[in-house]
Amino acid sequence: SLIPSGSKWFKFSWNHYFVDEGIYPYDDTYDRWTELKNRYNINVYDWCRRGDNILLNCQKPGDSALNRLTYNNIDYKEYIVDLINKIKKVSDRPLVVRLHPKDNTLKKYLDTLFDNITYSDKTLYEDLNRAWCVVTYNSTSCVEASLYGTPTIVLDASAVSIPVSQTSLEQIEDNWEPCREQWLKRIAFMQWKGKELHDEYVWRLLKAVMPTHGPKIN
């Protein structure tokens, strides 16, 4: 069935939806994060390494989040193969590969190249409960991991959690407990429920970040 537009979530940014290329509006006079946290009972947990596994969170091939790889003629499956090999070189911790639930091709490919891959058959939070850290290119699961307090390594600058994530595999053993307050306040302005768009508030926010030298928009 169709979802009523008032219940859908919409993302608004200027120039691009990647967080390192686009400009997302922000209003420091409106504590939207606290409002959303209370409305949806969102918990923010202390940073905690709950286990010993390196959890590799994969994405669905063809996802627009992988556009930079595509533009550089990098096949995502080959990227993951290279990433697994690099992880094995920098750490001897157990590696758990968490496949995207809508992808049934990556496992078949990895099984032709590796004979000792451990795949997750757990929920995300069960995996986080036994994880030393999360590694991902830019899966949005990095947001959930960061909220849950699991140190996360993201390898693309467009990942939403990059302000509170590490960015190199060489940092797997490093202590990592950044403050998340400002990050949470800003990502609270990235998405809006359709029913919030009935007045002009969000549109005014967006217009405020548009270049002043551009065409006049009424």
Side-chain angles (χ1 to χ4, degrees), residues 1 9 16 32-33 48 58 66 71-72 77 89-90 102 107 112-113 126 129 132 137 155 176 200 204 215:
S1 60
W9 287 92
H16 207 287
R32 178 171 164 78
W33 159 244
C48 180
C58 301
L66 303 176
Y71 293 156
N72 288 287
K77 292 185 179 68
K89 285 183 180 179
V90 300
K102 293 185 178 180
K107 181 179 185 300
T112 67
L113 301 173
E126 286 175 323
N129 279 333
W132 173 261
Y137 178 69
L155 301 173
W176 188 248
E200 296 183 355
R204 290 198 303 269

Side-chain angles (χ1 to χ4, degrees), residues 28-169:
D28 61 7
T29 68
Y30 171 24
D31 188 2
R32 178 171 164 78
W33 159 244
T34 297
E35 182 179 304
L36 293 177
K37 178 179 65 173
N38 293 335
R39 182 185 304 164
Y40 297 106
N41 297 314
I42 302 172
N43 293 314
V44 181
Y45 296 84
D46 291 341
W47 292 108
C48 180
R49 300 188 188 271
R50 298 175 177 87
D52 195 46
N53 295 341
I54 296 173
L55 180 64
L56 174 56
N57 285 356
C58 301
Q59 295 165 247
K60 183 176 68 174
D63 188 336
S64 62
L66 303 176
N67 280 350
R68 285 180 177 161
L69 295 181
T70 303
Y71 293 156
N72 288 287
N73 296 315
I74 299 174
D75 179 80
Y76 182 62
K77 292 185 179 68
E78 294 296 339
Y79 177 86
I80 292 297
V81 170
D82 184 57
L83 186 54
I84 289 172
N85 285 325
K86 287 179 178 177
I87 292 172
K88 289 179 176 292
K89 285 183 180 179
V90 300
S91 177
D92 58 2
R93 294 184 182 277
L95 173 64
V96 176
V97 176
R98 182 175 178 82
L99 302 165
H100 190 281
K102 293 185 178 180
D103 176 28
N104 59 5
T105 62
L106 181 57
K107 181 179 185 300
K108 294 178 182 178
Y109 186 66
L110 295 179
D111 284 344
T112 67
L113 301 173
F114 301 98
D115 58 10
N116 59 347
I117 293 289
T118 299
Y119 298 100
S120 168
D121 59 357
K122 309 292 184 182
T123 67
L124 175 60
Y125 285 93
E126 286 175 323
D127 279 336
L128 294 178
N129 279 333
R130 54 181 186 168
W132 173 261
C133 68
V134 168
V135 175
T136 187
Y137 178 69
N138 65 2
S139 167
T140 52
S141 63
C142 64
V143 174
E144 291 185 80
S146 296
L147 286 170
Y148 199 50
T150 303
T152 302
I153 297 174
V154 296
L155 301 173
D156 181 72
S158 71
V160 177
S161 74
I162 195 163
V164 293
S165 297
Q166 295 162 297
T167 57
S168 169
L169 297 178

